[in-house]
């Protein structure tokens, strides 16, 4: 991924609190309090809040105050469905153009490399930014910060799904590719829902 700035680390820490449900919808986020709590000056905290606003994790009120956005079970499902659909479309288009893709599902960064490849090939700036944001925020949280996401068996299962996507891509078998990608995103969705207490 990209080189991280101080504000990126701050945003990531707050993302984890919001996506896990430890920060509740409507909870105010004040720069001064966050600066003191996290041990950073106000400038990178302000920048982090802007990042979180772009990611849809917080919203700015008419009063200019910032509060945690609402994340219902349905919101979580919609986010991962949308991102999965954009990736499916991108991979299907690339497969039809016979775009070469060398990928290995081995290593700790296999998932990160998968998503980097997909959004790295997208020329539409809006879709590319959507996938970058999703990988940096939602996918990272679901795969690295949730209890299920850290589970070695599930990590291997997710890597297997991505290897199936790659193998199907190389054969131009878009049906198998789409099904495997849907299963991968279903796992991520379930991780976040379980972490937030929506699923037992």
């Amino acid at each position: 991924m990209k080189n991280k700035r101080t504000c990126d680390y701050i945003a990531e820490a707050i993302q984890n609190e919001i996506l896990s449900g430890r920060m509740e919808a409507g909870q105010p986020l004040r720069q001064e309090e966050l600066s003191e709590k996290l041990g950073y000056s106000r400038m990178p905290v302000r920048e982090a809040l802007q990042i979180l606003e772009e990611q849809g994790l917080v919203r700015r009120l008419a009063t200019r105050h910032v509060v945690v956005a609402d994340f219902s079970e349905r919101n979580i499902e919609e986010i991962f469905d949308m991102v999965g659909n954009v990736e499916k479309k991108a991979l299907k288009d690339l497969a039809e153009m016979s775009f070469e893709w060398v990928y290995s599902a081995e290593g700790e960064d296999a998932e990160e490399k998968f998503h980097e490849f997909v959004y790295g090939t997208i020329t539409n700036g809006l879709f590319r930014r959507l996938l970058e944001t999703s990988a940096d925020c939602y996918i990272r949280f679901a795969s690295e910060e949730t209890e299920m996401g850290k589970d070695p068996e599930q990590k291997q299962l997710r890597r297997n799904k991505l290897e199936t996507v790659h193998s199907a891509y190389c054969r131009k078998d878009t049906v198998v590719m789409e099904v495997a990608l849907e299963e991968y995103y279903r796992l991520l969705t379930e991780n976040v829902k379980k972490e937030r207490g929506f699923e037992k």
Side-chain angles (χ1 to χ4, degrees):
M1 297 271 172
K2 62 186 179 189
N3 292 330
K4 288 191 175 182
R5 304 164 295 165
T6 302
C7 62
D8 296 318
Y9 288 106
I10 295 168
E12 193 172 289
I14 299 170
Q15 286 166 3
N16 293 344
E17 295 296 305
I18 293 171
L19 290 171
S20 68
R22 291 187 294 267
M23 284 185 171
E24 296 182 7
Q27 180 177 334
L29 297 175
R30 295 179 182 87
Q31 288 179 30
E32 305 80 25
E33 291 175 9
L34 290 169
S35 295
E36 191 173 307
K37 179 181 176 183
L38 299 171
Y40 291 101
S41 67
R42 286 180 59 187
M43 181 60 81
V45 170
R46 181 181 306 121
E47 292 170 348
L49 290 174
Q50 290 170 341
I51 292 168
L52 296 169
E53 188 175 10
E54 289 173 13
Q55 295 170 337
L57 293 170
V58 302
R59 57 189 179 91
R60 194 169 300 276
L61 304 175
T63 60
R64 307 283 298 149
H65 292 104
V66 176
V67 297
V68 174
D70 182 30
F71 278 95
S72 67
E73 184 173 3
R74 182 168 182 200
N75 294 144
I76 293 164
E77 291 169 352
E78 288 172 341
I79 288 166
F80 285 106
D81 281 348
M82 179 185 61
V83 174
N85 287 333
V86 172
E87 282 196 346
K88 278 192 295 188
K89 170 91 170 86
L91 287 171
K92 188 174 179 181
D93 291 349
L94 291 169
E96 289 171 2
M97 294 186 308
S98 299
F99 191 90
E100 186 178 353
W101 178 22
V102 178
Y103 172 73
S104 170
E106 300 301 317
E108 286 299 310
D109 61 349
E111 288 181 78
E112 184 177 312
K113 286 184 177 179
F114 175 89
H115 299 293
E116 282 179 348
F117 167 78
V118 177
Y119 69 65
T121 60
I122 294 177
T123 56
N124 180 306
L126 176 63
F127 288 149
R128 182 182 179 121
R129 182 71 184 129
L130 170 70
L131 290 181
E132 284 177 337
T133 297
S134 299
D136 287 347
C137 177
Y138 301 103
I139 295 170
R140 179 201 56 78
F141 178 78
S143 61
E144 297 175 14
E145 300 297 332
T146 63
E147 187 176 326
M148 288 301 298
K150 294 177 189 176
D151 178 69
E153 287 182 24
Q154 199 207 63
K155 278 186 177 189
Q156 188 58 52
L157 179 59
R158 291 193 317 266
R159 287 186 191 131
N160 292 346
K161 297 293 180 198
L162 296 181
E163 186 59 49
T164 300
V165 170
H166 178 254
S167 177
Y169 173 92
C170 292
R171 295 188 319 270
K172 294 186 180 183
D173 186 343
T174 56
V175 173
V176 170
M177 183 178 69
E178 289 180 7
V179 169
L181 198 56
E182 286 169 6
E183 291 170 352
Y184 170 81
Y185 273 101
R186 182 183 48 76
L187 290 169
L188 294 182
T189 304
E190 289 171 1
N191 290 354
V192 176
K193 286 165 59 174
K194 186 169 184 175
E195 191 78 9
R196 291 185 61 92
F198 293 131
E199 289 191 355
K200 304 298 177 215

